[in-house]
Every structure is written in C-alpha cells, then in structure tokens.
Amino acid sequence: MALKPGKNTLAAAAAAALMLALAGCGEKDRAASSGDLPEVAPSRATNTGTYPPGEPVKAKFNEFENATANTYHQPDIPKGASDETLVQSEGGGTTVSLKLEGLVPDREFGAHVHVNTCGADPDQAGPHYQDKKDPETPSVDPAYANPKNEVWLDFTTDQDGNAQAESTVDWQFREGEGRSIVIHATHTMTEKGKAGTAGERMACINIR
Ligand SMILES: [Cu+2]
C-alpha cells in the first residue's frame, strides 16, 4: 500500500530527520573520543561521570585542571602524549586497561586507581581505591595495600615511549569512587611500611 503524503508521513519524516541528526551527533562524539582530539575534550572536561562504561576512552595529556588526562611532570609525561583507558565489569570482577604513547622512553612508572577525580593539585585524586578499606591512613600495610585489594597498573615504557598495563580484580568499584588513574615516579613498593607507595604523582587520568 502506497503512503499518501499527509500529516503522519510528515511527522514520520521529521522524526526520521531528528533521528539522523541525533545519530550524527553521536558519531561526532565518538570521532572526538577516538581520533584527533582537542587539547581539552569538552564533553568530559567537567568530570561529571559521563564516561561510557565498558568503552575505551582516549585522551591527550595536558596541563589543564579539567582535562581527562593531566600531566604534572613534563617532559617525562609530555603535553600531547596520549592515553587510552578501558574499565570493564564482568561477572562481579573488574578489568582496568591502560595504554600510553609518547612518554619518555625506557622508564619505569607506577600507576594505580585512586578514589577521586583529578585536579590541578595532584593530591586531589585522594588515596588508592581499596576494596577493603584500611582503617589506618595512609595505608602502607601490605594486607590492604596490595594489587588484589587495589588496582595496580605499573608499567615500563619501551624505546618509543609507549607502554600498556592491565589489571583484573574480583570486585567492582563502589558508586562514585575509583575515578582516576594516577601515574607515579617509580614502580610500586610492597614492603610493610611502604606498601602501595610509588613516589611523586606525575600524571592523572579520569576514568569514571
Ligand atoms: Cu597511586
């Protein structure tokens, strides 16, 4: 049966056009998050928790407070170096992946998921996210500060300054916590009294 052009057809056409426009926007957002990024990704600049769960998020490091990826330490983590993060929850567990490009070559770094979002002050990210919280702070007891109770993502850059790390734990983040990955100056220590520490905070990436 052929449709006569009428009100309903026009309404349907308008709806279709609207859908196309919406799809177009989505396409643009996706392109912005995976391709040529502005220095500050505007849609994620306000840390409102709009990161899509289970989808990779790409960003470039810069020096601004509200960026997805912040560097506090050039040139080791230069402005313009890029990162890709992925947080996946499955079967009660969580896998966090981190890929980096364009850092200083052949260098060890520590990295962990921290409680809060990043800020201009590196301390704003707060302490490490812990599944079972250490009653003592700062937490340097290996019973709590360990890679099963926290998410550790230590890495060493290759000769091109690239690296990747991944960690799987058998729990999920509490709502509103575990919102950033902080990159530190050294690999993470494990001995009592120092467990979980990894030196200066050199960069911070918002993840959720
Ligand atoms: Cu840390």
Side-chain angles (χ1 to χ4, degrees):
M1 175 176 96
L3 280 173
K4 282 183 199 161
K7 257 189 189 166
N8 288 345
T9 319
L10 285 175
L18 182 62
M19 294 289 281
L20 277 173
L22 289 172
C25 288
E27 205 83 8
K28 209 188 288 170
D29 285 346
R30 200 166 297 268
S33 68
S34 62
D36 196 18
L37 276 176
E39 285 189 338
V40 180
S43 63
R44 304 212 162 87
T46 47
N47 302 335
T48 50
T50 54
Y51 296 82
E55 282 185 41
V57 176
K58 289 189 180 187
K60 288 193 188 295
F61 286 96
N62 67 52
E63 302 165 290
F64 298 109
E65 178 179 359
N66 285 330
T68 293
N70 305 263
T71 177
Y72 309 122
H73 200 283
Q74 302 197 61
D76 284 10
I77 302 179
K79 191 174 161 181
S82 61
D83 78 273
E84 181 178 328
T85 56
L86 176 60
V87 181
Q88 288 174 295
S89 302
E90 203 171 39
T94 306
T95 298
V96 182
S97 317
L98 172 65
K99 277 188 216 166
L100 298 152
E101 280 180 23
L103 277 56
V104 70
D106 303 315
R107 190 197 194 290
E108 293 183 351
F109 293 90
H112 327 101
V113 172
H114 282 238
V115 171
N116 304 323
T117 53
C118 312
D121 178 355
D123 288 339
Q124 190 194 300
H128 291 180
Y129 182 92
Q130 295 186 321
D131 181 45
K132 293 185 184 68
K133 285 188 189 174
D134 189 340
E136 304 280 330
T137 54
S139 179
V140 286
D141 178 353
Y144 293 92
N146 66 64
K148 287 188 171 177
N149 192 44
E150 302 181 345
V151 177
W152 292 12
L153 294 156
D154 288 20
F155 59 90
T156 303
T157 54
D158 65 16
Q159 57 185 9
D160 299 317
N162 303 332
Q164 46 186 308
E166 185 174 284
S167 176
T168 299
V169 289
D170 60 8
W171 39 262
Q172 298 194 351
F173 292 115
R174 292 177 291 272
E175 191 63 36
E177 296 181 48
R179 301 196 59 193
S180 60
I181 293 172
V182 171
I183 299 175
H184 296 260
T186 68
H187 274 172
T188 307
M189 292 177 222
T190 53
E191 63 267 35
K192 203 171 168 68
K194 287 185 180 173
T197 62
E200 187 188 347
R201 299 182 182 203
M202 305 186 85
C204 181
I205 305 164
N206 289 305
I207 55 167
R208 57 195 295 276

